[in-house]
Amino acid sequence: MIKKVEVRRRLALYEKKLKEERQSIIAEMDRMSEACTTLAMKRIWQNSKEYLELVTRLTTLNEVSMDIIDIRCDEMFADEF
């Protein structure tokens, strides 16, 4: 039982870190998007290497978050049976 509590605590910590990192990435994307004053600048930003890296990181973090949710659900179903 102690191991389950520890796993749940660690998952919660990971979720918190993921949420903070996602918020940081979204804030950076918003900041850069707001700095673009024309559609041409916005297109350049959205086609840039930096934008692609941020989108890739955000996608990866979202996938990891979904995996954590799956782990939690699996654990809850295992506890019921």
Side-chain angles (χ1 to χ4, degrees):
M1 188 65 169
I2 293 174
K3 288 184 181 183
K4 283 188 178 187
V5 171
E6 181 63 23
V7 168
R8 289 176 183 155
R9 191 176 66 78
R10 284 188 164 203
L11 284 175
L13 180 63
Y14 291 144
E15 283 179 312
K16 181 180 177 188
K17 287 181 181 181
L18 288 171
K19 183 178 179 181
E20 290 170 357
E21 184 64 21
R22 279 196 321 252
Q23 288 174 341
S24 172
I25 291 170
I26 291 169
E28 175 67 13
M29 292 174 77
D30 288 346
R31 186 182 67 77
M32 290 301 295
S33 186
E34 289 172 2
C36 297
T37 56
T38 65
L39 289 176
M41 287 176 69
K42 197 167 270 198
R43 262 191 305 262
I44 291 170
W45 160 239
Q46 290 175 345
N47 291 321
S48 71
K49 177 184 170 187
E50 292 81 9
Y51 181 83
L52 180 60
E53 288 174 2
L54 289 174
V55 169
T56 302
R57 285 177 52 204
L58 188 59
T59 301
T60 303
L61 290 173
N62 286 334
E63 289 175 5
V64 171
S65 292
M66 296 308 287
D67 287 345
I68 289 174
I69 290 169
D70 287 345
I71 290 169
R72 284 184 181 275
C73 289
D74 290 345
E75 183 184 357
M76 286 189 319
F77 287 126
D79 286 346
E80 289 181 8
F81 297 108

Coordinates of all heavy atoms in Angstrom, one line a residue:
M1 N 0.8 -1.2 0.0 CA 0.0 0.0 0.0 C 0.9 1.3 0.0 O 0.5 2.2 -0.6 CB -0.9 0.0 1.2 CG -1.9 1.0 1.2 SD -3.0 0.8 -0.2 CE -4.3 1.9 0.1
I2 N 2.0 1.2 0.7 CA 2.9 2.4 0.8 C 3.4 2.7 -0.6 O 3.5 3.9 -1.0 CB 4.0 2.1 1.7 CG1 3.5 2.1 3.2 CG2 5.1 3.2 1.6 CD1 4.5 1.7 4.2
K3 N 3.7 1.7 -1.4 CA 4.2 1.9 -2.8 C 3.1 2.6 -3.6 O 3.5 3.5 -4.4 CB 4.6 0.6 -3.4 CG 5.9 0.0 -2.9 CD 6.3 -1.2 -3.6 CE 7.5 -1.8 -3.0 NZ 8.0 -3.0 -3.7
K4 N 1.9 2.3 -3.5 CA 0.8 2.9 -4.3 C 0.7 4.4 -3.9 O 0.6 5.2 -4.8 CB -0.5 2.2 -4.1 CG -0.7 1.0 -4.8 CD -2.1 0.4 -4.7 CE -2.2 -0.8 -5.5 NZ -3.6 -1.3 -5.6
V5 N 0.8 4.7 -2.6 CA 0.8 6.1 -2.2 C 2.0 6.9 -2.7 O 1.8 8.0 -3.2 CB 0.8 6.2 -0.6 CG1 0.9 7.6 -0.1 CG2 -0.5 5.5 -0.1
E6 N 3.1 6.3 -2.7 CA 4.3 6.9 -3.3 C 4.2 7.2 -4.8 O 4.5 8.2 -5.3 CB 5.6 6.1 -3.0 CG 6.8 6.7 -3.5 CD 7.2 8.0 -2.8 OE1 6.8 8.3 -1.7 OE2 8.0 8.8 -3.5
V7 N 3.6 6.2 -5.5 CA 3.4 6.3 -6.9 C 2.4 7.4 -7.2 O 2.7 8.3 -8.1 CB 2.9 5.0 -7.6 CG1 2.4 5.2 -9.0 CG2 4.1 3.9 -7.5
R8 N 1.4 7.5 -6.5 CA 0.4 8.5 -6.6 C 0.9 9.9 -6.4 O 0.7 10.9 -7.1 CB -0.8 8.3 -5.7 CG -1.7 7.1 -6.2 CD -2.8 6.8 -5.2 NE -3.5 5.7 -5.6 CZ -4.2 4.9 -4.8 NH1 -4.3 5.2 -3.5 NH2 -4.9 3.9 -5.3
R9 N 1.8 10.0 -5.3 CA 2.4 11.3 -5.0 C 3.4 11.7 -6.1 O 3.3 12.9 -6.5 CB 3.2 11.1 -3.7 CG 3.7 12.4 -3.1 CD 4.3 12.2 -1.7 NE 5.5 11.5 -1.8 CZ 6.7 12.0 -2.2 NH1 6.8 13.2 -2.6 NH2 7.8 11.2 -2.2
R10 N 4.1 10.8 -6.6 CA 5.0 11.1 -7.7 C 4.3 11.5 -9.0 O 4.7 12.4 -9.7 CB 6.0 9.9 -8.0 CG 7.1 9.8 -7.0 CD 8.1 8.8 -7.4 NE 9.2 9.0 -6.6 CZ 10.4 8.6 -7.0 NH1 10.6 7.9 -8.1 NH2 11.5 8.8 -6.2
L11 N 3.2 10.8 -9.3 CA 2.4 11.1 -10.5 C 1.9 12.6 -10.3 O 1.9 13.3 -11.3 CB 1.3 10.1 -10.7 CG 1.7 8.8 -11.3 CD1 0.4 7.9 -11.3 CD2 2.2 8.9 -12.6
A12 N 1.4 12.9 -9.1 CA 0.9 14.2 -8.9 C 2.0 15.3 -9.1 O 1.8 16.4 -9.7 CB 0.3 14.3 -7.5
L13 N 3.2 15.0 -8.6 CA 4.3 15.9 -8.8 C 4.7 16.0 -10.3 O 4.9 17.2 -10.7 CB 5.5 15.4 -8.0 CG 6.8 16.2 -8.1 CD1 6.6 17.6 -7.5 CD2 8.0 15.5 -7.4
Y14 N 4.7 14.9 -11.0 CA 5.0 15.0 -12.4 C 3.9 15.8 -13.2 O 4.2 16.6 -14.0 CB 5.1 13.6 -13.1 CG 6.3 12.8 -12.6 CD1 6.2 11.4 -12.4 CD2 7.5 13.4 -12.4 CE1 7.3 10.7 -12.0 CE2 8.6 12.7 -12.0 CZ 8.5 11.3 -11.8 OH 9.6 10.6 -11.4
E15 N 2.7 15.6 -12.8 CA 1.6 16.4 -13.4 C 1.7 17.9 -13.2 O 1.5 18.7 -14.1 CB 0.2 15.9 -12.9 CG -0.2 14.6 -13.5 CD -1.6 14.1 -12.9 OE1 -1.7 14.1 -11.7 OE2 -2.4 13.8 -13.8
K16 N 2.1 18.2 -12.0 CA 2.3 19.6 -11.6 C 3.5 20.2 -12.5 O 3.3 21.3 -13.0 CB 2.7 19.8 -10.1 CG 2.8 21.2 -9.7 CD 3.2 21.3 -8.2 CE 3.4 22.7 -7.9 NZ 3.9 22.9 -6.5
K17 N 4.6 19.5 -12.6 CA 5.7 20.0 -13.4 C 5.3 20.1 -14.9 O 5.7 21.1 -15.5 CB 6.9 19.0 -13.3 CG 7.6 19.1 -11.9 CD 8.8 18.2 -11.9 CE 9.4 18.3 -10.5 NZ 10.6 17.4 -10.5
L18 N 4.5 19.1 -15.4 CA 4.1 19.1 -16.8 C 3.2 20.3 -17.0 O 3.3 21.0 -18.0 CB 3.4 17.9 -17.1 CG 4.2 16.6 -17.3 CD1 3.3 15.4 -17.4 CD2 5.1 16.7 -18.5
K19 N 2.3 20.6 -16.1 CA 1.4 21.7 -16.2 C 2.1 23.0 -16.2 O 1.9 23.9 -17.1 CB 0.4 21.7 -15.0 CG -0.7 22.8 -15.1 CD -1.6 22.7 -14.0 CE -2.7 23.8 -14.1 NZ -3.6 23.8 -13.0
E20 N 3.1 23.2 -15.4 CA 3.9 24.4 -15.3 C 4.7 24.6 -16.6 O 4.8 25.7 -17.2 CB 4.9 24.4 -14.1 CG 4.2 24.5 -12.8 CD 5.2 24.2 -11.6 OE1 6.3 23.9 -11.9 OE2 4.7 24.3 -10.5
E21 N 5.3 23.5 -17.1 CA 6.0 23.6 -18.4 C 5.1 23.9 -19.6 O 5.4 24.7 -20.4 CB 6.8 22.3 -18.6 CG 7.7 22.3 -19.9 CD 8.8 23.3 -19.8 OE1 9.2 23.7 -18.7 OE2 9.3 23.6 -20.9
R22 N 3.9 23.3 -19.6 CA 3.0 23.6 -20.7 C 2.6 25.1 -20.6 O 2.5 25.7 -21.6 CB 1.7 22.7 -20.5 CG 1.9 21.4 -21.1 CD 0.6 20.6 -21.3 NE -0.4 20.8 -20.3 CZ -0.8 19.9 -19.4 NH1 -0.3 18.7 -19.4 NH2 -1.7 20.2 -18.5
Q23 N 2.3 25.6 -19.4 CA 1.9 27.0 -19.3 C 3.0 27.9 -19.7 O 2.8 28.9 -20.4 CB 1.5 27.3 -17.8 CG 0.2 26.7 -17.4 CD -0.1 26.9 -16.0 OE1 0.8 27.2 -15.1 NE2 -1.4 26.7 -15.6
S24 N 4.3 27.5 -19.4 CA 5.4 28.3 -19.9 C 5.5 28.3 -21.4 O 5.8 29.4 -22.0 CB 6.7 27.7 -19.2 OG 7.8 28.3 -19.8
I25 N 5.3 27.2 -22.0 CA 5.4 27.1 -23.5 C 4.3 27.9 -24.1 O 4.5 28.7 -25.1 CB 5.4 25.7 -23.9 CG1 6.7 24.9 -23.5 CG2 5.2 25.6 -25.5 CD1 6.6 23.4 -23.7
I26 N 3.1 27.8 -23.6 CA 2.0 28.5 -24.2 C 2.2 30.0 -24.0 O 1.9 30.8 -24.9 CB 0.6 28.1 -23.5 CG1 0.3 26.6 -24.0 CG2 -0.5 29.0 -23.8 CD1 -0.8 26.0 -23.2
A27 N 2.7 30.5 -22.9 CA 3.0 31.9 -22.6 C 4.0 32.4 -23.6 O 3.9 33.5 -24.2 CB 3.5 32.1 -21.2
E28 N 5.0 31.6 -23.9 CA 6.1 32.0 -24.8 C 5.5 32.1 -26.2 O 5.8 33.0 -27.0 CB 7.2 31.0 -24.8 CG 8.3 31.2 -25.9 CD 9.1 32.5 -25.7 OE1 9.0 33.1 -24.6 OE2 9.8 32.9 -26.6
M29 N 4.7 31.1 -26.6 CA 4.0 31.2 -27.9 C 3.1 32.4 -28.1 O 3.1 33.1 -29.1 CB 3.2 29.9 -28.2 CG 4.2 28.7 -28.3 SD 3.3 27.1 -28.5 CE 2.7 27.2 -30.1
D30 N 2.3 32.7 -27.0 CA 1.5 33.8 -27.0 C 2.3 35.1 -27.1 O 1.9 36.0 -27.9 CB 0.6 33.9 -25.8 CG -0.5 32.8 -25.8 OD1 -0.8 32.2 -26.9 OD2 -1.1 32.5 -24.7
R31 N 3.3 35.2 -26.4 CA 4.2 36.4 -26.4 C 4.7 36.7 -27.8 O 4.7 37.8 -28.3 CB 5.3 36.3 -25.4 CG 6.2 37.5 -25.2 CD 7.3 37.3 -24.2 NE 8.3 36.4 -24.7 CZ 9.2 36.6 -25.6 NH1 9.3 37.8 -26.1 NH2 10.1 35.7 -25.9
M32 N 5.2 35.6 -28.4 CA 5.8 35.8 -29.7 C 4.7 36.1 -30.7 O 4.9 36.9 -31.6 CB 6.6 34.5 -30.1 CG 7.8 34.3 -29.4 SD 9.0 35.6 -29.5 CE 9.4 35.5 -31.3
S33 N 3.6 35.5 -30.6 CA 2.5 35.7 -31.5 C 2.0 37.2 -31.4 O 1.7 37.8 -32.4 CB 1.3 34.7 -31.3 OG 0.3 34.9 -32.2
E34 N 1.9 37.7 -30.2 CA 1.5 39.0 -30.0 C 2.5 40.0 -30.5 O 2.1 41.2 -30.9 CB 1.2 39.3 -28.5 CG 0.0 38.6 -28.0 CD -0.2 38.7 -26.5 OE1 0.6 39.3 -25.8 OE2 -1.1 38.1 -26.0
A35 N 3.7 39.6 -30.6 CA 4.8 40.5 -31.1 C 4.7 40.7 -32.6 O 5.2 41.6 -33.2 CB 6.2 40.0 -30.7
C36 N 4.0 39.7 -33.3 CA 3.9 39.8 -34.7 C 2.8 40.8 -35.0 O 1.6 40.6 -34.7 CB 3.5 38.4 -35.3 SG 4.8 37.2 -35.0
T37 N 3.2 41.8 -35.7 CA 2.2 42.9 -36.0 C 1.5 42.8 -37.4 O 0.5 43.4 -37.6 CB 2.9 44.3 -36.0 OG1 4.0 44.3 -36.9 CG2 3.4 44.6 -34.5
T38 N 2.0 41.9 -38.2 CA 1.4 41.7 -39.5 C 1.2 40.2 -39.8 O 1.8 39.4 -39.1 CB 2.3 42.2 -40.7 OG1 3.5 41.5 -40.7 CG2 2.6 43.7 -40.5
L39 N 0.4 39.9 -40.7 CA 0.1 38.5 -41.1 C 1.4 37.8 -41.6 O 1.7 36.7 -41.3 CB -1.0 38.4 -42.1 CG -2.4 38.7 -41.6 CD1 -3.4 38.6 -42.7 CD2 -2.8 37.7 -40.5
A40 N 2.2 38.6 -42.3 CA 3.5 38.1 -42.9 C 4.4 37.7 -41.7 O 5.0 36.6 -41.8 CB 4.1 39.1 -43.8
M41 N 4.5 38.5 -40.7 CA 5.3 38.2 -39.5 C 4.8 37.0 -38.8 O 5.6 36.2 -38.4 CB 5.4 39.4 -38.6 CG 6.2 40.6 -39.1 SD 6.1 42.0 -38.0 CE 7.0 41.4 -36.6
K42 N 3.5 36.9 -38.7 CA 2.9 35.8 -38.0 C 3.2 34.5 -38.8 O 3.5 33.4 -38.2 CB 1.4 36.0 -37.9 CG 0.8 35.0 -36.9 CD -0.6 35.5 -36.5 CE -0.5 36.4 -35.3 NZ -1.7 36.6 -34.6
R43 N 3.1 34.5 -40.1 CA 3.5 33.4 -41.0 C 4.9 33.0 -40.8 O 5.2 31.8 -40.7 CB 3.2 33.6 -42.4 CG 1.9 33.1 -42.9 CD 1.8 33.2 -44.4 NE 2.0 34.6 -44.9 CZ 1.1 35.4 -45.2 NH1 -0.2 35.1 -45.1 NH2 1.4 36.6 -45.6
I44 N 5.8 34.0 -40.7 CA 7.2 33.7 -40.5 C 7.4 33.0 -39.2 O 8.2 32.0 -39.1 CB 8.1 35.0 -40.7 CG1 8.1 35.4 -42.1 CG2 9.5 34.7 -40.2 CD1 8.6 36.8 -42.3
W45 N 6.8 33.5 -38.2 CA 6.9 33.0 -36.8 C 6.4 31.5 -36.8 O 7.0 30.6 -36.3 CB 6.1 33.8 -35.8 CG 5.8 33.1 -34.5 CD1 4.5 33.0 -34.0 CD2 6.6 32.5 -33.6 NE1 4.6 32.3 -32.8 CE2 5.9 32.0 -32.5 CE3 8.0 32.3 -33.5 CZ2 6.4 31.3 -31.4 CZ3 8.5 31.7 -32.4 CH2 7.7 31.2 -31.4
Q46 N 5.2 31.3 -37.4 CA 4.6 29.9 -37.4 C 5.4 28.9 -38.3 O 5.2 27.7 -38.1 CB 3.2 30.0 -37.8 CG 2.3 30.7 -36.8 CD 0.9 30.9 -37.2 OE1 0.6 30.8 -38.4 NE2 0.0 31.2 -36.2
N47 N 6.3 29.4 -39.1 CA 7.1 28.5 -40.0 C 8.5 28.4 -39.5 O 9.4 27.8 -40.1 CB 7.1 29.0 -41.4 CG 5.8 28.8 -42.1 OD1 5.1 27.8 -41.9 ND2 5.3 29.7 -42.9
S48 N 8.8 29.1 -38.3 CA 10.2 29.1 -37.8 C 10.5 27.8 -37.0 O 9.6 27.1 -36.6 CB 10.3 30.3 -36.8 OG 9.6 30.1 -35.6
K49 N 11.8 27.6 -36.9 CA 12.3 26.4 -36.2 C 11.9 26.5 -34.7 O 11.6 25.5 -34.1 CB 13.8 26.4 -36.3 CG 14.5 25.3 -35.6 CD 16.0 25.4 -35.7 CE 16.7 24.5 -34.7 NZ 18.2 24.7 -34.7
E50 N 12.0 27.7 -34.1 CA 11.6 27.9 -32.7 C 10.2 27.6 -32.4 O 9.9 26.9 -31.4 CB 11.9 29.4 -32.3 CG 13.4 29.7 -32.3 CD 14.0 30.1 -33.6 OE1 13.2 30.2 -34.6 OE2 15.2 30.2 -33.8
Y51 N 9.3 28.0 -33.4 CA 7.9 27.7 -33.2 C 7.7 26.2 -33.3 O 6.9 25.6 -32.4 CB 7.1 28.4 -34.3 CG 5.6 28.1 -34.2 CD1 4.8 28.9 -33.3 CD2 5.0 27.1 -35.0 CE1 3.4 28.6 -33.2 CE2 3.6 26.9 -34.9 CZ 2.8 27.7 -34.0 OH 1.5 27.4 -33.9
L52 N 8.3 25.5 -34.2 CA 8.2 24.1 -34.4 C 8.7 23.3 -33.1 O 8.1 22.4 -32.6 CB 9.0 23.6 -35.6 CG 8.9 22.1 -35.9 CD1 7.5 21.6 -36.1 CD2 9.8 21.7 -37.0
E53 N 9.8 23.8 -32.5 CA 10.3 23.2 -31.3 C 9.3 23.4 -30.1 O 9.1 22.4 -29.4 CB 11.6 23.9 -30.9 CG 12.8 23.4 -31.8 CD 14.1 24.2 -31.5 OE1 14.1 25.0 -30.6 OE2 15.1 23.9 -32.2
L54 N 8.7 24.6 -30.0 CA 7.7 24.8 -29.0 C 6.5 23.9 -29.1 O 6.0 23.3 -28.2 CB 7.3 26.2 -28.9 CG 8.4 27.2 -28.4 CD1 7.9 28.7 -28.5 CD2 8.8 26.9 -26.9
V55 N 6.0 23.8 -30.4 CA 4.9 22.9 -30.7 C 5.2 21.5 -30.4 O 4.4 20.7 -29.8 CB 4.4 23.1 -32.1 CG1 3.4 22.1 -32.5 CG2 3.8 24.5 -32.3
T56 N 6.4 21.0 -30.7 CA 6.8 19.7 -30.5 C 6.9 19.4 -29.0 O 6.4 18.3 -28.5 CB 8.1 19.4 -31.2 OG1 8.0 19.6 -32.6 CG2 8.6 17.9 -30.9
R57 N 7.5 20.3 -28.3 CA 7.5 20.1 -26.8 C 6.1 20.1 -26.2 O 5.9 19.3 -25.3 CB 8.4 21.3 -26.2 CG 9.8 21.1 -26.4 CD 10.7 22.2 -25.8 NE 10.4 22.5 -24.5 CZ 10.6 23.7 -23.9 NH1 11.1 24.7 -24.6 NH2 10.3 23.9 -22.7
L58 N 5.3 21.0 -26.6 CA 3.9 21.0 -26.1 C 3.2 19.7 -26.4 O 2.5 19.2 -25.5 CB 3.2 22.2 -26.7 CG 1.8 22.5 -26.1 CD1 1.9 22.8 -24.6 CD2 1.2 23.7 -26.8
T59 N 3.3 19.2 -27.6 CA 2.7 18.0 -28.0 C 3.2 16.8 -27.2 O 2.4 16.0 -26.7 CB 2.9 17.7 -29.5 OG1 2.4 18.8 -30.3 CG2 2.2 16.4 -29.9
T60 N 4.5 16.8 -27.0 CA 5.1 15.7 -26.1 C 4.6 15.8 -24.7 O 4.2 14.8 -24.1 CB 6.6 15.8 -26.2 OG1 7.0 15.7 -27.5 CG2 7.2 14.7 -25.4
L61 N 4.5 17.0 -24.1 CA 4.0 17.1 -22.8 C 2.6 16.7 -22.7 O 2.2 16.1 -21.7 CB 4.2 18.6 -22.3 CG 5.6 19.0 -22.1 CD1 5.7 20.5 -21.8 CD2 6.3 18.3 -21.0
N62 N 1.8 17.1 -23.7 CA 0.4 16.6 -23.7 C 0.2 15.1 -23.7 O -0.6 14.5 -23.0 CB -0.4 17.3 -24.8 CG -0.7 18.8 -24.6 OD1 -0.7 19.2 -23.4 ND2 -0.8 19.5 -25.6
E63 N 1.1 14.5 -24.5 CA 1.0 13.0 -24.6 C 1.4 12.4 -23.3 O 0.8 11.4 -22.9 CB 1.9 12.5 -25.7 CG 1.4 12.9 -27.1 CD 2.3 12.5 -28.2 OE1 3.4 11.9 -28.0 OE2 2.0 12.8 -29.4
V64 N 2.4 12.9 -22.7 CA 2.9 12.4 -21.4 C 1.8 12.6 -20.3 O 1.5 11.7 -19.5 CB 4.2 13.1 -20.9 CG1 4.5 12.7 -19.5 CG2 5.3 12.7 -21.8
S65 N 1.1 13.7 -20.4 CA 0.0 14.0 -19.5 C -1.1 12.9 -19.7 O -1.7 12.4 -18.7 CB -0.6 15.4 -19.7 OG 0.3 16.3 -19.2
M66 N -1.4 12.6 -20.9 CA -2.4 11.6 -21.2 C -2.0 10.3 -20.7 O -2.8 9.5 -20.2 CB -2.7 11.6 -22.7 CG -3.3 12.9 -23.2 SD -4.8 13.5 -22.3 CE -6.0 12.3 -22.8
D67 N -0.7 9.9 -20.8 CA -0.2 8.7 -20.3 C -0.4 8.6 -18.8 O -0.8 7.5 -18.2 CB 1.2 8.5 -20.7 CG 1.4 8.1 -22.1 OD1 0.4 7.8 -22.8 OD2 2.6 8.2 -22.6
I68 N -0.1 9.7 -18.1 CA -0.3 9.7 -16.7 C -1.8 9.5 -16.3 O -2.1 8.8 -15.4 CB 0.2 11.0 -16.1 CG1 1.8 11.0 -16.1 CG2 -0.2 11.2 -14.6 CD1 2.4 12.3 -15.7
I69 N -2.7 10.1 -17.0 CA -4.1 9.9 -16.8 C -4.5 8.5 -17.0 O -5.2 7.9 -16.2 CB -4.9 10.9 -17.7 CG1 -4.8 12.3 -17.3 CG2 -6.4 10.5 -17.7 CD1 -5.3 13.3 -18.2
D70 N -3.9 7.9 -18.1 CA -4.2 6.4 -18.3 C -3.7 5.6 -17.2 O -4.4 4.6 -16.8 CB -3.5 6.0 -19.6 CG -4.2 6.5 -20.9 OD1 -5.4 7.0 -20.7 OD2 -3.6 6.5 -21.9
I71 N -2.5 5.9 -16.6 CA -2.0 5.2 -15.5 C -2.9 5.3 -14.3 O -3.2 4.3 -13.6 CB -0.6 5.6 -15.2 CG1 0.4 5.2 -16.3 CG2 -0.1 5.1 -13.8 CD1 1.8 5.9 -16.2
R72 N -3.4 6.5 -14.1 CA -4.3 6.7 -12.9 C -5.6 5.9 -13.1 O -6.1 5.3 -12.2 CB -4.6 8.2 -12.8 CG -3.5 9.0 -12.2 CD -4.0 10.4 -12.0 NE -3.0 11.3 -11.4 CZ -2.8 11.4 -10.1 NH1 -3.5 10.7 -9.3 NH2 -1.9 12.2 -9.7
C73 N -6.1 5.9 -14.3 CA -7.4 5.2 -14.6 C -7.1 3.7 -14.4 O -8.0 3.0 -13.8 CB -7.9 5.5 -16.0 SG -8.5 7.1 -16.2
D74 N -6.0 3.2 -15.0 CA -5.7 1.8 -14.8 C -5.6 1.4 -13.3 O -6.1 0.3 -12.9 CB -4.4 1.4 -15.5 CG -4.5 1.4 -17.0 OD1 -5.7 1.4 -17.5 OD2 -3.5 1.4 -17.7
E75 N -5.0 2.3 -12.6 CA -4.8 2.0 -11.1 C -6.1 2.0 -10.4 O -6.4 1.1 -9.6 CB -3.9 3.1 -10.5 CG -3.6 2.8 -9.1 CD -2.7 3.9 -8.5 OE1 -2.3 4.9 -9.2 OE2 -2.5 3.9 -7.3
M76 N -7.0 2.9 -10.8 CA -8.3 3.0 -10.1 C -9.1 1.7 -10.5 O -9.8 1.2 -9.6 CB -9.1 4.2 -10.6 CG -8.6 5.5 -10.0 SD -9.6 7.0 -10.3 CE -10.1 6.8 -12.0
F77 N -9.1 1.3 -11.7 CA -9.8 0.0 -12.1 C -9.2 -1.2 -11.4 O -10.0 -2.1 -11.0 CB -9.9 -0.2 -13.6 CG -10.8 0.8 -14.3 CD1 -10.3 1.6 -15.3 CD2 -12.1 0.9 -13.9 CE1 -11.1 2.5 -16.0 CE2 -12.9 1.8 -14.5 CZ -12.5 2.6 -15.6
A78 N -7.9 -1.2 -11.2 CA -7.3 -2.3 -10.5 C -7.7 -2.4 -9.1 O -7.8 -3.4 -8.5 CB -5.8 -2.2 -10.7
D79 N -7.8 -1.2 -8.5 CA -8.2 -1.1 -7.1 C -9.7 -1.7 -6.8 O -10.0 -2.2 -5.8 CB -8.2 0.3 -6.5 CG -6.7 0.7 -6.3 OD1 -5.8 -0.1 -6.3 OD2 -6.5 2.0 -6.1
E80 N -10.5 -1.5 -7.8 CA -11.9 -1.9 -7.7 C -12.1 -3.4 -7.8 O -13.1 -4.0 -7.3 CB -12.8 -1.2 -8.8 CG -12.9 0.2 -8.6 CD -13.8 0.9 -9.6 OE1 -14.4 0.2 -10.5 OE2 -13.9 2.1 -9.6
F81 N -11.2 -4.1 -8.4 CA -11.4 -5.6 -8.6 C -10.5 -6.3 -7.7 O -9.7 -6.2 -7.0 CB -11.0 -6.0 -10.0 CG -12.0 -5.3 -11.0 CD1 -11.5 -4.3 -11.9 CD2 -13.3 -5.8 -11.1 CE1 -12.4 -3.8 -12.8 CE2 -14.1 -5.2 -12.1 CZ -13.7 -4.2 -12.9

